[in-house]
Short mmCIF file of all heavy atoms in Angstrom, two decimals:
data_model
loop_
_atom_site.label_atom_id
_atom_site.label_comp_id
_atom_site.label_asym_id
_atom_site.label_seq_id
_atom_site.Cartn_x
_atom_site.Cartn_y
_atom_site.Cartn_z
N MET A 159 65.27 81.71 109.91
CA MET A 159 64.67 81.27 108.67
C MET A 159 64.67 82.40 107.65
O MET A 159 64.88 82.15 106.47
CB MET A 159 63.24 80.80 108.90
CG MET A 159 63.19 79.45 109.55
SD MET A 159 63.99 78.29 108.46
CE MET A 159 63.00 76.90 108.67
N ASN A 160 64.41 83.61 108.09
CA ASN A 160 64.33 84.74 107.18
C ASN A 160 65.69 85.03 106.55
O ASN A 160 65.76 85.41 105.39
CB ASN A 160 63.80 85.97 107.92
CG ASN A 160 63.06 86.90 106.99
OD1 ASN A 160 62.88 86.58 105.82
ND2 ASN A 160 62.64 88.02 107.49
N ILE A 161 66.76 84.85 107.33
CA ILE A 161 68.10 85.10 106.80
C ILE A 161 68.44 84.05 105.74
O ILE A 161 69.06 84.37 104.72
CB ILE A 161 69.13 85.09 107.94
CG1 ILE A 161 68.90 86.29 108.86
CG2 ILE A 161 70.54 85.13 107.41
CD1 ILE A 161 69.78 86.32 110.07
N ALA A 162 68.06 82.83 105.95
CA ALA A 162 68.35 81.77 104.99
C ALA A 162 67.68 82.04 103.65
O ALA A 162 68.25 81.74 102.60
CB ALA A 162 67.89 80.42 105.54
N LYS A 163 66.52 82.63 103.64
CA LYS A 163 65.82 82.94 102.39
C LYS A 163 66.51 84.06 101.63
O LYS A 163 66.53 84.08 100.40
CB LYS A 163 64.37 83.35 102.68
CG LYS A 163 63.50 82.21 103.16
CD LYS A 163 62.10 82.71 103.42
CE LYS A 163 61.22 81.60 103.97
NZ LYS A 163 59.86 82.08 104.26
N ASN A 164 67.10 84.99 102.35
CA ASN A 164 67.71 86.16 101.72
C ASN A 164 69.23 86.05 101.62
O ASN A 164 69.91 87.05 101.39
CB ASN A 164 67.33 87.42 102.50
CG ASN A 164 65.85 87.68 102.47
OD1 ASN A 164 65.20 87.43 101.46
ND2 ASN A 164 65.31 88.18 103.56
N MET A 165 69.78 84.85 101.81
CA MET A 165 71.23 84.69 101.81
C MET A 165 71.84 85.05 100.46
O MET A 165 72.93 85.63 100.40
CB MET A 165 71.60 83.26 102.18
CG MET A 165 73.06 83.06 102.47
SD MET A 165 73.68 84.06 103.83
CE MET A 165 72.95 83.22 105.21
N GLU A 166 71.17 84.78 99.37
CA GLU A 166 71.68 85.11 98.04
C GLU A 166 71.77 86.62 97.86
O GLU A 166 72.75 87.14 97.32
CB GLU A 166 70.78 84.51 96.96
CG GLU A 166 71.30 84.71 95.56
CD GLU A 166 70.41 84.07 94.50
OE1 GLU A 166 69.46 83.36 94.86
OE2 GLU A 166 70.70 84.31 93.31
N VAL A 167 70.80 87.34 98.35
CA VAL A 167 70.81 88.81 98.24
C VAL A 167 71.91 89.38 99.13
O VAL A 167 72.63 90.32 98.73
CB VAL A 167 69.43 89.38 98.65
CG1 VAL A 167 69.46 90.89 98.66
CG2 VAL A 167 68.37 88.86 97.71
N ILE A 168 72.11 88.81 100.32
CA ILE A 168 73.17 89.28 101.22
C ILE A 168 74.53 89.04 100.59
O ILE A 168 75.42 89.90 100.62
CB ILE A 168 73.05 88.59 102.59
CG1 ILE A 168 71.76 89.04 103.29
CG2 ILE A 168 74.26 88.88 103.45
CD1 ILE A 168 71.43 88.25 104.53
N PHE A 169 74.72 87.87 99.97
CA PHE A 169 75.99 87.56 99.31
C PHE A 169 76.24 88.50 98.13
O PHE A 169 77.36 89.00 97.96
CB PHE A 169 75.99 86.11 98.84
CG PHE A 169 77.23 85.72 98.12
CD1 PHE A 169 78.41 85.49 98.80
CD2 PHE A 169 77.23 85.59 96.73
CE1 PHE A 169 79.56 85.13 98.13
CE2 PHE A 169 78.38 85.24 96.05
CZ PHE A 169 79.55 85.01 96.75
N ALA A 170 75.23 88.75 97.34
CA ALA A 170 75.38 89.64 96.19
C ALA A 170 75.71 91.06 96.64
O ALA A 170 76.55 91.73 96.02
CB ALA A 170 74.11 89.63 95.35
N ALA A 171 75.07 91.52 97.70
CA ALA A 171 75.36 92.86 98.22
C ALA A 171 76.79 92.94 98.74
O ALA A 171 77.49 93.95 98.54
CB ALA A 171 74.37 93.22 99.31
N ALA A 172 77.25 91.88 99.40
CA ALA A 172 78.63 91.86 99.90
C ALA A 172 79.63 91.89 98.76
O ALA A 172 80.65 92.58 98.83
CB ALA A 172 78.84 90.64 100.78
N VAL A 173 79.34 91.17 97.67
CA VAL A 173 80.22 91.16 96.51
C VAL A 173 80.27 92.55 95.88
O VAL A 173 81.34 93.02 95.47
CB VAL A 173 79.77 90.09 95.49
CG1 VAL A 173 80.48 90.26 94.16
CG2 VAL A 173 80.00 88.70 96.05
N VAL A 174 79.16 93.21 95.80
CA VAL A 174 79.11 94.56 95.22
C VAL A 174 79.94 95.53 96.07
O VAL A 174 80.71 96.34 95.54
CB VAL A 174 77.65 95.04 95.07
CG1 VAL A 174 77.59 96.53 94.76
CG2 VAL A 174 76.94 94.24 94.01
N VAL A 175 79.80 95.44 97.38
CA VAL A 175 80.54 96.35 98.27
C VAL A 175 82.04 96.08 98.17
O VAL A 175 82.85 97.01 98.08
CB VAL A 175 80.03 96.20 99.72
CG1 VAL A 175 80.95 96.92 100.69
CG2 VAL A 175 78.61 96.73 99.84
N VAL A 176 82.43 94.82 98.17
CA VAL A 176 83.86 94.48 98.08
C VAL A 176 84.43 94.91 96.73
O VAL A 176 85.54 95.43 96.66
CB VAL A 176 84.06 92.97 98.33
CG1 VAL A 176 85.46 92.53 97.98
CG2 VAL A 176 83.74 92.63 99.77
N SER A 177 83.68 94.71 95.68
CA SER A 177 84.15 95.11 94.35
C SER A 177 84.31 96.62 94.26
O SER A 177 85.30 97.13 93.70
CB SER A 177 83.18 94.64 93.28
OG SER A 177 83.10 93.24 93.27
N ALA A 178 83.37 97.35 94.80
CA ALA A 178 83.44 98.82 94.75
C ALA A 178 84.63 99.33 95.54
O ALA A 178 85.33 100.25 95.09
CB ALA A 178 82.15 99.41 95.28
N THR A 179 84.88 98.76 96.70
CA THR A 179 86.02 99.24 97.49
C THR A 179 87.35 98.84 96.85
O THR A 179 88.32 99.59 96.95
CB THR A 179 85.96 98.69 98.92
OG1 THR A 179 85.88 97.27 98.88
CG2 THR A 179 84.79 99.24 99.68
N SER A 180 87.41 97.69 96.19
CA SER A 180 88.67 97.31 95.55
C SER A 180 88.96 98.22 94.36
O SER A 180 90.11 98.57 94.12
CB SER A 180 88.64 95.85 95.12
OG SER A 180 87.69 95.66 94.09
N PHE A 181 87.95 98.60 93.60
CA PHE A 181 88.16 99.53 92.49
C PHE A 181 88.49 100.94 93.00
O PHE A 181 89.28 101.65 92.40
CB PHE A 181 86.94 99.58 91.58
CG PHE A 181 86.85 98.43 90.63
CD1 PHE A 181 85.79 97.54 90.69
CD2 PHE A 181 87.83 98.23 89.68
CE1 PHE A 181 85.72 96.48 89.82
CE2 PHE A 181 87.77 97.17 88.79
CZ PHE A 181 86.71 96.28 88.87
N ALA A 182 87.90 101.32 94.12
CA ALA A 182 88.15 102.66 94.65
C ALA A 182 89.56 102.79 95.19
O ALA A 182 90.18 103.85 95.09
CB ALA A 182 87.14 102.99 95.73
N THR A 183 90.09 101.73 95.78
CA THR A 183 91.43 101.81 96.36
C THR A 183 92.52 101.38 95.39
O THR A 183 93.70 101.55 95.69
CB THR A 183 91.52 100.94 97.62
OG1 THR A 183 91.20 99.59 97.28
CG2 THR A 183 90.59 101.43 98.70
N ALA A 184 92.18 100.84 94.23
CA ALA A 184 93.19 100.39 93.28
C ALA A 184 93.93 101.55 92.64
O ALA A 184 95.11 101.44 92.32
CB ALA A 184 92.55 99.52 92.20
N ALA A 185 93.29 102.70 92.48
CA ALA A 185 93.90 103.84 91.82
C ALA A 185 94.78 104.67 92.76
O ALA A 185 95.52 105.52 92.31
CB ALA A 185 92.82 104.74 91.22
N VAL A 186 94.71 104.43 94.03
CA VAL A 186 95.46 105.21 95.00
C VAL A 186 96.89 104.68 95.07
O VAL A 186 97.11 103.50 95.29
CB VAL A 186 94.80 105.14 96.40
CG1 VAL A 186 95.62 105.90 97.42
CG2 VAL A 186 93.39 105.67 96.33
N ASN A 187 97.87 105.56 94.86
CA ASN A 187 99.27 105.17 94.95
C ASN A 187 99.70 105.16 96.41
O ASN A 187 99.38 106.09 97.15
CB ASN A 187 100.15 106.13 94.16
CG ASN A 187 99.88 106.05 92.68
OD1 ASN A 187 99.45 105.01 92.19
ND2 ASN A 187 100.14 107.14 91.97
N PRO A 188 100.45 104.15 96.82
CA PRO A 188 100.92 104.14 98.20
C PRO A 188 101.95 105.25 98.42
O PRO A 188 102.69 105.60 97.50
CB PRO A 188 101.56 102.76 98.35
CG PRO A 188 101.91 102.35 96.97
CD PRO A 188 100.89 102.99 96.08
N PRO A 189 102.00 105.82 99.61
CA PRO A 189 102.96 106.89 99.86
C PRO A 189 104.39 106.35 99.85
O PRO A 189 104.66 105.24 100.29
CB PRO A 189 102.60 107.39 101.26
CG PRO A 189 101.90 106.23 101.90
CD PRO A 189 101.20 105.51 100.78
N VAL A 190 105.29 107.16 99.33
CA VAL A 190 106.70 106.79 99.27
C VAL A 190 107.41 107.47 100.42
O VAL A 190 107.41 108.70 100.53
CB VAL A 190 107.33 107.20 97.92
CG1 VAL A 190 108.82 106.87 97.90
CG2 VAL A 190 106.59 106.53 96.78
N ILE A 191 108.02 106.67 101.27
CA ILE A 191 108.73 107.20 102.43
C ILE A 191 110.20 106.85 102.26
O ILE A 191 110.56 105.69 102.13
CB ILE A 191 108.19 106.59 103.74
CG1 ILE A 191 106.71 106.92 103.91
CG2 ILE A 191 109.00 107.09 104.94
CD1 ILE A 191 106.04 106.22 105.04
N SER A 192 111.02 107.88 102.24
CA SER A 192 112.45 107.64 102.11
C SER A 192 113.19 108.47 103.15
O SER A 192 112.92 109.65 103.34
CB SER A 192 112.94 107.99 100.71
OG SER A 192 112.76 109.37 100.48
N VAL A 193 114.12 107.82 103.81
CA VAL A 193 114.92 108.48 104.84
C VAL A 193 116.38 108.14 104.56
O VAL A 193 116.73 106.98 104.36
CB VAL A 193 114.53 107.97 106.25
CG1 VAL A 193 115.43 108.59 107.31
CG2 VAL A 193 113.09 108.28 106.53
N LYS A 194 117.20 109.17 104.52
CA LYS A 194 118.63 108.95 104.33
C LYS A 194 119.27 108.73 105.70
O LYS A 194 119.17 109.58 106.57
CB LYS A 194 119.28 110.14 103.64
CG LYS A 194 118.89 110.28 102.20
CD LYS A 194 119.69 111.39 101.55
CE LYS A 194 119.35 111.50 100.08
NZ LYS A 194 120.13 112.57 99.45
N ALA A 195 119.93 107.62 105.84
CA ALA A 195 120.54 107.29 107.12
C ALA A 195 121.80 108.10 107.36
O ALA A 195 122.14 108.39 108.50
CB ALA A 195 120.85 105.81 107.21
N ASP A 196 122.51 108.46 106.30
CA ASP A 196 123.75 109.18 106.49
C ASP A 196 123.54 110.65 106.82
O ASP A 196 124.45 111.31 107.28
CB ASP A 196 124.65 109.04 105.26
CG ASP A 196 123.97 109.54 103.99
OD1 ASP A 196 122.76 109.80 104.04
OD2 ASP A 196 124.66 109.66 102.97
N SER A 197 122.33 111.17 106.62
CA SER A 197 122.08 112.57 106.93
C SER A 197 121.78 112.80 108.41
O SER A 197 121.81 113.92 108.88
CB SER A 197 120.91 113.11 106.10
OG SER A 197 119.72 112.44 106.46
N VAL A 198 121.51 111.73 109.12
CA VAL A 198 121.20 111.84 110.55
C VAL A 198 122.46 111.50 111.34
O VAL A 198 123.05 110.44 111.17
CB VAL A 198 120.06 110.87 110.92
CG1 VAL A 198 119.76 110.97 112.40
CG2 VAL A 198 118.83 111.16 110.10
N SER A 199 122.85 112.42 112.20
CA SER A 199 124.03 112.13 113.02
C SER A 199 123.57 111.51 114.33
O SER A 199 122.78 112.07 115.07
CB SER A 199 124.83 113.40 113.30
OG SER A 199 124.03 114.32 114.03
N ILE A 200 124.05 110.32 114.58
CA ILE A 200 123.69 109.60 115.79
C ILE A 200 124.76 109.88 116.84
O ILE A 200 125.95 109.65 116.60
CB ILE A 200 123.60 108.09 115.52
CG1 ILE A 200 122.53 107.83 114.46
CG2 ILE A 200 123.29 107.32 116.80
CD1 ILE A 200 122.47 106.40 114.00
N PRO A 201 124.36 110.37 117.99
CA PRO A 201 125.36 110.64 119.03
C PRO A 201 125.95 109.34 119.57
O PRO A 201 125.23 108.39 119.85
CB PRO A 201 124.58 111.39 120.11
CG PRO A 201 123.17 111.04 119.87
CD PRO A 201 123.02 110.75 118.42
N THR A 202 127.25 109.29 119.67
CA THR A 202 127.92 108.12 120.20
C THR A 202 128.66 108.49 121.47
O THR A 202 129.16 109.61 121.61
CB THR A 202 128.92 107.54 119.19
OG1 THR A 202 129.85 108.56 118.85
CG2 THR A 202 128.23 107.05 117.94
N VAL A 203 128.72 107.56 122.38
CA VAL A 203 129.40 107.78 123.65
C VAL A 203 130.57 106.82 123.72
O VAL A 203 130.42 105.62 123.54
CB VAL A 203 128.44 107.53 124.84
CG1 VAL A 203 129.17 107.69 126.17
CG2 VAL A 203 127.25 108.46 124.75
N THR A 204 131.75 107.37 123.99
CA THR A 204 132.94 106.55 124.13
C THR A 204 133.39 106.62 125.58
O THR A 204 133.65 107.70 126.11
CB THR A 204 134.08 107.07 123.23
OG1 THR A 204 133.60 107.12 121.90
CG2 THR A 204 135.29 106.18 123.30
N VAL A 205 133.45 105.46 126.21
CA VAL A 205 133.86 105.39 127.61
C VAL A 205 135.30 104.92 127.65
O VAL A 205 135.62 103.83 127.18
CB VAL A 205 132.95 104.42 128.40
CG1 VAL A 205 133.42 104.32 129.85
CG2 VAL A 205 131.51 104.87 128.32
N THR A 206 136.15 105.76 128.22
CA THR A 206 137.56 105.40 128.37
C THR A 206 137.89 105.42 129.84
O THR A 206 138.08 106.47 130.46
CB THR A 206 138.46 106.38 127.60
OG1 THR A 206 138.20 107.70 128.07
CG2 THR A 206 138.20 106.32 126.10
N ALA A 207 137.92 104.25 130.42
CA ALA A 207 138.25 104.11 131.84
C ALA A 207 138.81 102.72 132.06
O ALA A 207 138.50 101.79 131.33
CB ALA A 207 137.01 104.32 132.71
N LYS A 208 139.63 102.60 133.07
CA LYS A 208 140.17 101.28 133.33
C LYS A 208 139.19 100.49 134.19
O LYS A 208 138.37 101.06 134.92
CB LYS A 208 141.53 101.38 134.01
CG LYS A 208 141.51 101.99 135.40
CD LYS A 208 142.90 101.98 135.99
CE LYS A 208 142.82 102.31 137.48
NZ LYS A 208 144.10 102.19 138.13
N ARG A 209 139.25 99.19 134.09
CA ARG A 209 138.33 98.32 134.81
C ARG A 209 138.78 98.19 136.27
O ARG A 209 139.95 98.28 136.59
CB ARG A 209 138.28 96.95 134.15
CG ARG A 209 137.87 97.05 132.68
CD ARG A 209 137.67 95.72 132.12
NE ARG A 209 136.25 95.38 132.36
CZ ARG A 209 135.65 94.32 131.91
NH1 ARG A 209 136.31 93.43 131.23
NH2 ARG A 209 134.39 94.10 132.14
N LEU A 210 137.80 97.96 137.12
CA LEU A 210 138.11 97.77 138.53
C LEU A 210 138.68 96.37 138.76
O LEU A 210 138.26 95.40 138.11
CB LEU A 210 136.84 97.93 139.37
CG LEU A 210 136.18 99.31 139.38
CD1 LEU A 210 134.89 99.26 140.17
CD2 LEU A 210 137.10 100.35 139.97
N THR A 211 139.57 96.31 139.70
CA THR A 211 140.09 95.01 140.08
C THR A 211 139.11 94.35 141.04
O THR A 211 138.14 94.97 141.51
CB THR A 211 141.45 95.16 140.77
OG1 THR A 211 141.29 95.92 141.96
CG2 THR A 211 142.46 95.84 139.84
N ALA A 212 139.34 93.09 141.36
CA ALA A 212 138.46 92.37 142.27
C ALA A 212 138.46 93.01 143.66
O ALA A 212 137.43 93.09 144.34
CB ALA A 212 138.86 90.91 142.35
N ALA A 213 139.59 93.51 144.09
CA ALA A 213 139.70 94.15 145.41
C ALA A 213 138.91 95.45 145.42
O ALA A 213 138.24 95.78 146.42
CB ALA A 213 141.16 94.39 145.76
N GLU A 214 138.98 96.22 144.33
CA GLU A 214 138.24 97.48 144.27
C GLU A 214 136.74 97.23 144.22
O GLU A 214 135.95 97.98 144.81
CB GLU A 214 138.70 98.29 143.06
CG GLU A 214 140.12 98.82 143.18
CD GLU A 214 140.62 99.45 141.88
OE1 GLU A 214 140.13 99.06 140.81
OE2 GLU A 214 141.49 100.32 141.97
N LYS A 215 136.34 96.17 143.51
CA LYS A 215 134.92 95.82 143.48
C LYS A 215 134.41 95.40 144.85
O LYS A 215 133.30 95.74 145.25
CB LYS A 215 134.67 94.70 142.49
CG LYS A 215 134.76 95.11 141.04
CD LYS A 215 134.46 93.92 140.14
CE LYS A 215 134.65 94.28 138.69
NZ LYS A 215 134.43 93.11 137.82
N ALA A 216 135.23 94.67 145.57
CA ALA A 216 134.84 94.22 146.90
C ALA A 216 134.73 95.39 147.87
O ALA A 216 133.92 95.36 148.80
CB ALA A 216 135.82 93.18 147.42
N ALA A 217 135.52 96.42 147.64
CA ALA A 217 135.50 97.59 148.51
C ALA A 217 134.23 98.41 148.32
O ALA A 217 133.80 99.14 149.22
CB ALA A 217 136.73 98.45 148.27
N LEU A 218 133.60 98.28 147.18
CA LEU A 218 132.35 99.02 146.92
C LEU A 218 131.25 98.34 147.66
O LEU A 218 130.33 98.76 148.15
CB LEU A 218 132.06 99.08 145.43
CG LEU A 218 133.04 99.89 144.59
CD1 LEU A 218 132.66 99.77 143.11
CD2 LEU A 218 133.05 101.35 144.98
#
């Protein structure tokens, strides 16, 4: 019952808090993250081998 009587005050306080945080975070610029993909060398593996035949696979 006590909460129902003070619901208007609770709502007003919540609006004040939300408004203050939205104004406080509105001026902050998001960080800019940039990565050049061509500057990073990715190691590549090249496999050069002939495939096993069915008989060679069976022998394993």
Side-chain angles (χ1 to χ4, degrees):
M159 285 299 218
N160 209 4
I161 292 175
K163 291 180 183 178
N164 296 324
M165 191 60 72
E166 184 178 354
V167 175
I168 293 170
F169 178 76
V173 168
V174 168
V175 169
V176 169
S177 298
T179 56
S180 67
F181 280 117
T183 58
V186 177
N187 294 333
V190 177
I191 300 172
S192 63
V193 176
K194 289 186 177 180
D196 58 350
S197 65
V198 179
S199 62
I200 300 173
T202 57
V203 177
T204 305
V205 178
T206 57
K208 65 177 192 175
R209 302 187 90 174
L210 296 176
T211 62
E214 291 172 333
K215 287 181 184 177
L218 293 176

